[in-house]
Amino acid sequence: MAPSESTQPPPPLSTTDAEPAVPTESEPLLGRPGDAIQKPDAPMFLNLVLGTAWLSQLGALLLLVTTWSAVFLHKLGALISPHPLLQSLGAFLLIQAILILQPTSTPADKRTGQRIHASLHLLSFLSFVSGIAVIETNKHANHNAHLHSLHGYLGVITGTLLLAQYAFGICMWLVPGVLGGEDKAKALWKYHRYGGYLLLVLVLVTIGAAADTDYSKGVLKIKGWTFGLGITLVVVGVFPRVQLRKLGIDRSR
C-alpha cells in the first residue's frame, strides 16, 4: 500500500530557525558544524574543493608539478625517472581519495564516495607499486644498496602499512564477514579512518625525505622549500575537515 500523502515529514535536524540543519557527523576538527559537509544532491566532485580542501589541492598540485617538471627538464633515465613520476602521481591520487570521501553524510553519498575512494586508491596503489618496481630494478641492475637513505626506509614502512590499510578497507567494505559481520565491520570504520590520516602523514613525510636524496638535490635540483610548502598546504587543507563523530569523538557530551 502506498504511503499516505498526509504523512508528516521528519523533524529538522537543526533546533533553531537561525541555523541550517546539519547531520550529526558534521562537526569538523576546526571550524563550525557543516563547514565542510556535502549538501544533499550536491555534485560529488565539489568535495574536492569544499571548505579548506582547495588548499590541499594547491599543495598536491605543487608537489606533482614540481616533481614532474624537474624530471622532464633533466636527462631521463629508463630505470630511474619513472620512480618520482609514479610516486608523486600515487600521492596525488591518494590525496584525492581522502578529499572525495571526507564530506559525505547521507547513506547514498557515502556509498558513492566509497566507490570513488576505492577506485582512486586502486589507481594510487598501482602507481606506487609500479614506481617501487622501477627503482628496485634500477638498484638490482646497478648493484646499488636497496636501503641507504631515510627516504628508502620510510618508503618501505609506508608501503607496507598502505598495503595493510588497503586490505583492511577492502575487507570491511566488500567482505565484512571475515571481520565478524557487517555490524562489527562498521564498528571498525573509525580505525580505518585513523589509519588513513596517519598514513597520509607518513606519505607526506616520505615525500619530504625524497627532497633530501642525492638524486633530488644533485640531478633534479629540487628545492626543499617547494616540497615543504606543498606538504604544509595538504595538511592544513585536509585535517580541518576531519569529521569528529566519524572518528568516534563526540564533543557535545
Side-chain angles (χ1 to χ4, degrees):
M1 183 174 68
S4 171
E5 293 182 359
S6 61
T7 301
Q8 294 296 320
L13 295 174
S14 179
T15 57
T16 67
D17 294 332
E19 296 178 359
V22 294
T24 57
E25 292 183 337
S26 67
E27 185 178 9
L29 182 63
L30 295 175
R32 298 171 301 174
D35 278 352
I37 192 166
Q38 184 181 356
K39 302 300 186 292
D41 301 321
M44 184 67 65
F45 74 88
L46 289 180
N47 290 355
L48 297 173
V49 294
L50 186 64
T52 56
W54 65 275
L55 292 170
S56 287
Q57 295 293 5
L58 287 179
L61 285 170
L62 178 59
L63 293 172
L64 187 70
V65 171
T66 297
T67 302
W68 280 57
S69 61
V71 170
F72 283 107
L73 287 174
H74 294 84
K75 183 178 179 180
L76 299 178
L79 292 180
I80 185 65
S81 296
H83 176 71
L85 296 176
L86 290 165
Q87 301 308 86
S88 59
L89 177 61
F92 180 82
L93 292 169
L94 183 146
I95 293 167
Q96 307 309 308
I98 292 174
L99 294 175
I100 199 73
L101 187 59
Q102 266 187 320
T104 55
S105 59
T106 68
D109 287 337
K110 286 181 179 180
R111 286 192 295 270
T112 301
Q114 286 170 352
R115 288 193 290 269
I116 299 174
H117 178 80
S119 299
L120 288 169
H121 269 307
L122 175 60
L123 294 174
S124 175
F125 174 72
L126 293 175
S127 185
F128 282 141
V129 169
S130 299
I132 292 171
V134 167
I135 198 64
E136 288 303 309
T137 301
N138 175 69
K139 290 178 180 295
H140 179 75
N142 293 286
H143 306 287
N144 292 330
H146 289 270
L147 292 173
H148 71 284
S149 67
L150 177 61
H151 173 66
Y153 284 105
L154 286 171
V156 170
I157 294 170
T158 304
T160 302
L161 292 176
L162 275 173
L163 183 59
Q165 174 78 346
Y166 293 148
F168 187 30
I170 289 172
C171 287
M172 286 189 296
W173 182 40
L174 296 180
V175 284
V178 302
L179 298 173
E182 187 172 347
D183 289 339
K184 290 185 177 179
K186 286 181 178 179
L188 297 174
W189 272 116
K190 64 181 180 181
Y191 300 111
H192 182 68
R193 294 184 179 106
Y194 276 114
Y197 290 125
L198 172 62
L199 279 166
L200 173 62
V201 172
L202 283 175
V203 167
L204 294 174
V205 171
T206 304
I207 292 173
D212 195 47
T213 61
D214 294 338
Y215 179 68
S216 293
K217 294 189 298 183
V219 178
L220 299 183
K221 308 297 184 183
I222 289 177
K223 304 297 183 183
W225 70 264
T226 59
F227 274 24
L229 176 59
I231 290 168
T232 300
L233 287 171
V234 171
V235 169
V236 299
V238 168
F239 285 93
R241 301 200 326 164
V242 172
Q243 305 298 330
L244 296 178
R245 289 180 184 263
K246 290 184 178 182
L247 296 178
I249 301 172
D250 186 358
R251 293 200 301 203
S252 65
R253 295 178 181 177

